[in-house]
Amino acid sequence: MFRTAIQLYTLHDLGDSLPELLARVGETDFDGVEFAGLGSSNPSIVNDALNKAGLDIAGAHVDADLLAESVEETVSRYQQVGCGTFVVPYLDESYFETRDAVERTAEELSKFGERLSEEGISLHYHNHDHEFVPLNGRTAFDILVETTTQVNFELDVGWVAAAGHDPVELLDELGSQVSLVHIKDVRTDSREPVELGEGDVDLRACAEAARRTGVEWLIYEHDQPNDLMASLQHGSEYLLALE
């Protein structure tokens, strides 16, 4: 059975400190959070805030630059808050424009994954839509999945649908390679993110596929919510109804 969380980037425009954000999330039905960074927050204060809010950690989005330039410091800070799951949240289009580029990307991610595994941390990659560019009858994402090692995937169902692919089919295809799923709704014609249930993604079918394949966390994310507090509450209630 999966659990539910929110990617805290959804709430970044509130301007709250991380402990304040955790307190807000703790008032909802979410089981946990996925960090979008720790900023300057003291890890012990973050721990206290997590405990007070009754929240667990689904993972953390960690930029590839941090893994390349300051992996030991980054690992240390997140280990102090009990986070053992890192997600590279974004690599731009240049990393996927040719097969050679994808293979270089896979090699880099695999090196990060191997290094982090030595620290007991699992590495995942979060997709957008540009990873699904066609390359000789396949997609860059297909090649990335095949050529990475020590890396799993955080499948963002909204971006998969925006790219013109079926997230349910992809979840079934990837199986145990996906333990985190971003639940996002979009209008596929404009690729515009919308509140859950207002777009074109069959989110209940995605949740059923996630349950079928043993996904651990369904994580709500909205890139551009109009009303952040309403989106927080609606996302919590919507994911609760999917459990």
Side-chain angles (χ1 to χ4, degrees), residues 8 11 49 55-56 63 75 77 85 88 108 120 155 158-159 169 173 180 203:
L8 291 176
L11 305 175
L55 296 169
D56 291 326
D63 287 341
V75 166
R77 293 202 74 214
T85 301
V88 173
E108 182 177 10
L155 201 70
W159 283 120
E169 288 184 5
E173 178 184 330
L180 310 172
L203 298 173

PDB file of all heavy atoms in Angstrom, residues 8 11 49 55-56 63 75 77 85 88 108 120 155 158-159 169 173 180 203:
ATOM      1  N   LEU A   8       7.292  19.790  -1.730  1.00  0.00           N
ATOM      2  CA  LEU A   8       7.175  21.099  -1.107  1.00  0.00           C
ATOM      3  C   LEU A   8       7.407  22.262  -2.067  1.00  0.00           C
ATOM      4  O   LEU A   8       7.067  23.406  -1.752  1.00  0.00           O
ATOM      5  CB  LEU A   8       8.130  21.195   0.089  1.00  0.00           C
ATOM      6  CG  LEU A   8       7.740  20.314   1.285  1.00  0.00           C
ATOM      7  CD1 LEU A   8       8.795  20.399   2.378  1.00  0.00           C
ATOM      8  CD2 LEU A   8       6.371  20.706   1.836  1.00  0.00           C
ATOM      9  N   LEU A  11       4.567  24.629  -2.693  1.00  0.00           N
ATOM     10  CA  LEU A  11       4.227  25.702  -1.756  1.00  0.00           C
ATOM     11  C   LEU A  11       5.314  26.763  -1.653  1.00  0.00           C
ATOM     12  O   LEU A  11       5.261  27.615  -0.758  1.00  0.00           O
ATOM     13  CB  LEU A  11       3.977  25.097  -0.364  1.00  0.00           C
ATOM     14  CG  LEU A  11       2.929  23.987  -0.280  1.00  0.00           C
ATOM     15  CD1 LEU A  11       2.884  23.414   1.130  1.00  0.00           C
ATOM     16  CD2 LEU A  11       1.551  24.501  -0.695  1.00  0.00           C
ATOM     17  N   ALA A  49      10.430  19.710  13.686  1.00  0.00           N
ATOM     18  CA  ALA A  49       9.212  20.104  12.976  1.00  0.00           C
ATOM     19  C   ALA A  49       8.517  18.896  12.354  1.00  0.00           C
ATOM     20  O   ALA A  49       7.282  18.806  12.361  1.00  0.00           O
ATOM     21  CB  ALA A  49       9.548  21.139  11.905  1.00  0.00           C
ATOM     22  N   LEU A  55       4.990  13.859  10.354  1.00  0.00           N
ATOM     23  CA  LEU A  55       5.257  13.594   8.946  1.00  0.00           C
ATOM     24  C   LEU A  55       6.492  12.732   8.765  1.00  0.00           C
ATOM     25  O   LEU A  55       7.474  12.862   9.506  1.00  0.00           O
ATOM     26  CB  LEU A  55       5.462  14.914   8.195  1.00  0.00           C
ATOM     27  CG  LEU A  55       4.259  15.857   8.130  1.00  0.00           C
ATOM     28  CD1 LEU A  55       4.688  17.215   7.614  1.00  0.00           C
ATOM     29  CD2 LEU A  55       3.152  15.261   7.262  1.00  0.00           C
ATOM     30  N   ASP A  56       6.450  11.879   7.751  1.00  0.00           N
ATOM     31  CA  ASP A  56       7.611  11.111   7.335  1.00  0.00           C
ATOM     32  C   ASP A  56       8.192  11.730   6.066  1.00  0.00           C
ATOM     33  O   ASP A  56       7.601  12.629   5.466  1.00  0.00           O
ATOM     34  CB  ASP A  56       7.238   9.649   7.091  1.00  0.00           C
ATOM     35  CG  ASP A  56       6.879   8.924   8.378  1.00  0.00           C
ATOM     36  OD1 ASP A  56       7.478   9.246   9.419  1.00  0.00           O
ATOM     37  OD2 ASP A  56       5.983   8.060   8.343  1.00  0.00           O
ATOM     38  N   ASP A  63      19.609  18.664  -6.809  1.00  0.00           N
ATOM     39  CA  ASP A  63      20.137  18.977  -8.137  1.00  0.00           C
ATOM     40  C   ASP A  63      21.404  18.187  -8.432  1.00  0.00           C
ATOM     41  O   ASP A  63      22.230  17.942  -7.541  1.00  0.00           O
ATOM     42  CB  ASP A  63      20.444  20.465  -8.250  1.00  0.00           C
ATOM     43  CG  ASP A  63      19.186  21.316  -8.342  1.00  0.00           C
ATOM     44  OD1 ASP A  63      18.123  20.760  -8.677  1.00  0.00           O
ATOM     45  OD2 ASP A  63      19.273  22.529  -8.082  1.00  0.00           O
ATOM     46  N   VAL A  75      24.934  14.813   1.379  1.00  0.00           N
ATOM     47  CA  VAL A  75      24.541  13.560   2.031  1.00  0.00           C
ATOM     48  C   VAL A  75      24.448  13.745   3.537  1.00  0.00           C
ATOM     49  O   VAL A  75      23.481  13.323   4.186  1.00  0.00           O
ATOM     50  CB  VAL A  75      25.533  12.439   1.674  1.00  0.00           C
ATOM     51  CG1 VAL A  75      25.351  11.239   2.603  1.00  0.00           C
ATOM     52  CG2 VAL A  75      25.361  12.016   0.220  1.00  0.00           C
ATOM     53  N   ARG A  77      23.906  16.447   5.361  1.00  0.00           N
ATOM     54  CA  ARG A  77      22.770  17.259   5.807  1.00  0.00           C
ATOM     55  C   ARG A  77      21.468  16.474   5.747  1.00  0.00           C
ATOM     56  O   ARG A  77      20.648  16.523   6.683  1.00  0.00           O
ATOM     57  CB  ARG A  77      22.653  18.531   4.959  1.00  0.00           C
ATOM     58  CG  ARG A  77      23.793  19.503   5.149  1.00  0.00           C
ATOM     59  CD  ARG A  77      23.387  20.902   4.733  1.00  0.00           C
ATOM     60  NE  ARG A  77      22.501  21.497   5.708  1.00  0.00           N
ATOM     61  CZ  ARG A  77      21.507  22.336   5.412  1.00  0.00           C
ATOM     62  NH1 ARG A  77      21.251  22.644   4.151  1.00  0.00           N
ATOM     63  NH2 ARG A  77      20.750  22.848   6.363  1.00  0.00           N
ATOM     64  N   THR A  85      16.492   8.973   0.413  1.00  0.00           N
ATOM     65  CA  THR A  85      16.059   8.892  -0.979  1.00  0.00           C
ATOM     66  C   THR A  85      16.299  10.231  -1.658  1.00  0.00           C
ATOM     67  O   THR A  85      15.729  11.245  -1.245  1.00  0.00           O
ATOM     68  CB  THR A  85      14.564   8.530  -1.077  1.00  0.00           C
ATOM     69  OG1 THR A  85      14.333   7.280  -0.429  1.00  0.00           O
ATOM     70  CG2 THR A  85      14.119   8.421  -2.527  1.00  0.00           C
ATOM     71  N   VAL A  88      17.016  13.295  -8.608  1.00  0.00           N
ATOM     72  CA  VAL A  88      17.472  14.366  -9.498  1.00  0.00           C
ATOM     73  C   VAL A  88      16.221  14.895 -10.201  1.00  0.00           C
ATOM     74  O   VAL A  88      15.583  14.167 -10.962  1.00  0.00           O
ATOM     75  CB  VAL A  88      18.506  13.855 -10.517  1.00  0.00           C
ATOM     76  CG1 VAL A  88      18.827  14.939 -11.544  1.00  0.00           C
ATOM     77  CG2 VAL A  88      19.779  13.414  -9.804  1.00  0.00           C
ATOM     78  N   GLU A 108      26.463   9.336 -16.176  1.00  0.00           N
ATOM     79  CA  GLU A 108      26.623  10.279 -15.067  1.00  0.00           C
ATOM     80  C   GLU A 108      25.689   9.941 -13.910  1.00  0.00           C
ATOM     81  O   GLU A 108      26.098   9.909 -12.743  1.00  0.00           O
ATOM     82  CB  GLU A 108      26.363  11.699 -15.556  1.00  0.00           C
ATOM     83  CG  GLU A 108      26.543  12.760 -14.485  1.00  0.00           C
ATOM     84  CD  GLU A 108      26.345  14.169 -15.008  1.00  0.00           C
ATOM     85  OE1 GLU A 108      25.875  14.323 -16.157  1.00  0.00           O
ATOM     86  OE2 GLU A 108      26.640  15.126 -14.257  1.00  0.00           O
ATOM     87  N   GLY A 120      24.100   4.396   1.643  1.00  0.00           N
ATOM     88  CA  GLY A 120      22.777   3.897   1.986  1.00  0.00           C
ATOM     89  C   GLY A 120      21.641   4.742   1.445  1.00  0.00           C
ATOM     90  O   GLY A 120      20.515   4.695   1.959  1.00  0.00           O
ATOM     91  N   LEU A 155       8.255   8.667 -11.445  1.00  0.00           N
ATOM     92  CA  LEU A 155       7.472   8.929 -12.648  1.00  0.00           C
ATOM     93  C   LEU A 155       6.452  10.028 -12.375  1.00  0.00           C
ATOM     94  O   LEU A 155       5.611   9.896 -11.485  1.00  0.00           O
ATOM     95  CB  LEU A 155       6.771   7.660 -13.124  1.00  0.00           C
ATOM     96  CG  LEU A 155       6.350   7.686 -14.598  1.00  0.00           C
ATOM     97  CD1 LEU A 155       7.580   7.611 -15.492  1.00  0.00           C
ATOM     98  CD2 LEU A 155       5.390   6.555 -14.914  1.00  0.00           C
ATOM     99  N   GLY A 158       1.776  13.440 -14.903  1.00  0.00           N
ATOM    100  CA  GLY A 158       1.319  14.583 -15.674  1.00  0.00           C
ATOM    101  C   GLY A 158       2.220  14.892 -16.847  1.00  0.00           C
ATOM    102  O   GLY A 158       1.750  15.123 -17.975  1.00  0.00           O
ATOM    103  N   TRP A 159       3.529  14.877 -16.613  1.00  0.00           N
ATOM    104  CA  TRP A 159       4.468  15.141 -17.697  1.00  0.00           C
ATOM    105  C   TRP A 159       4.469  14.014 -18.721  1.00  0.00           C
ATOM    106  O   TRP A 159       4.651  14.261 -19.917  1.00  0.00           O
ATOM    107  CB  TRP A 159       5.866  15.375 -17.145  1.00  0.00           C
ATOM    108  CG  TRP A 159       6.076  16.731 -16.550  1.00  0.00           C
ATOM    109  CD1 TRP A 159       6.420  17.019 -15.261  1.00  0.00           C
ATOM    110  CD2 TRP A 159       5.957  17.987 -17.224  1.00  0.00           C
ATOM    111  NE1 TRP A 159       6.522  18.376 -15.091  1.00  0.00           N
ATOM    112  CE2 TRP A 159       6.243  18.995 -16.278  1.00  0.00           C
ATOM    113  CE3 TRP A 159       5.634  18.364 -18.531  1.00  0.00           C
ATOM    114  CZ2 TRP A 159       6.222  20.357 -16.605  1.00  0.00           C
ATOM    115  CZ3 TRP A 159       5.607  19.720 -18.855  1.00  0.00           C
ATOM    116  CH2 TRP A 159       5.897  20.688 -17.903  1.00  0.00           C
ATOM    117  N   GLU A 169       0.345   2.643 -18.740  1.00  0.00           N
ATOM    118  CA  GLU A 169       1.154   1.656 -19.461  1.00  0.00           C
ATOM    119  C   GLU A 169       2.614   1.722 -19.026  1.00  0.00           C
ATOM    120  O   GLU A 169       3.281   0.687 -18.863  1.00  0.00           O
ATOM    121  CB  GLU A 169       1.051   1.890 -20.964  1.00  0.00           C
ATOM    122  CG  GLU A 169      -0.285   1.512 -21.572  1.00  0.00           C
ATOM    123  CD  GLU A 169      -0.285   1.672 -23.081  1.00  0.00           C
ATOM    124  OE1 GLU A 169       0.789   1.994 -23.665  1.00  0.00           O
ATOM    125  OE2 GLU A 169      -1.359   1.492 -23.690  1.00  0.00           O
ATOM    126  N   GLU A 173       4.915  -1.101 -17.288  1.00  0.00           N
ATOM    127  CA  GLU A 173       6.138  -1.518 -17.977  1.00  0.00           C
ATOM    128  C   GLU A 173       7.358  -1.427 -17.072  1.00  0.00           C
ATOM    129  O   GLU A 173       8.202  -2.333 -17.056  1.00  0.00           O
ATOM    130  CB  GLU A 173       6.343  -0.644 -19.211  1.00  0.00           C
ATOM    131  CG  GLU A 173       7.608  -0.952 -20.001  1.00  0.00           C
ATOM    132  CD  GLU A 173       7.810   0.015 -21.154  1.00  0.00           C
ATOM    133  OE1 GLU A 173       6.792   0.508 -21.696  1.00  0.00           O
ATOM    134  OE2 GLU A 173       8.967   0.283 -21.502  1.00  0.00           O
ATOM    135  N   LEU A 180       8.430   5.863  -6.529  1.00  0.00           N
ATOM    136  CA  LEU A 180       7.845   7.172  -6.256  1.00  0.00           C
ATOM    137  C   LEU A 180       7.079   7.630  -7.493  1.00  0.00           C
ATOM    138  O   LEU A 180       7.590   7.531  -8.601  1.00  0.00           O
ATOM    139  CB  LEU A 180       8.932   8.208  -5.946  1.00  0.00           C
ATOM    140  CG  LEU A 180       9.986   7.860  -4.896  1.00  0.00           C
ATOM    141  CD1 LEU A 180      11.075   8.922  -4.888  1.00  0.00           C
ATOM    142  CD2 LEU A 180       9.349   7.735  -3.520  1.00  0.00           C
ATOM    143  N   LEU A 203      -6.148   9.865 -13.131  1.00  0.00           N
ATOM    144  CA  LEU A 203      -5.362   9.730 -11.907  1.00  0.00           C
ATOM    145  C   LEU A 203      -5.742   8.485 -11.114  1.00  0.00           C
ATOM    146  O   LEU A 203      -4.880   7.871 -10.473  1.00  0.00           O
ATOM    147  CB  LEU A 203      -5.525  10.987 -11.059  1.00  0.00           C
ATOM    148  CG  LEU A 203      -5.008  12.279 -11.726  1.00  0.00           C
ATOM    149  CD1 LEU A 203      -5.367  13.487 -10.888  1.00  0.00           C
ATOM    150  CD2 LEU A 203      -3.495  12.208 -11.943  1.00  0.00           C
TER     151      LEU A 203
END
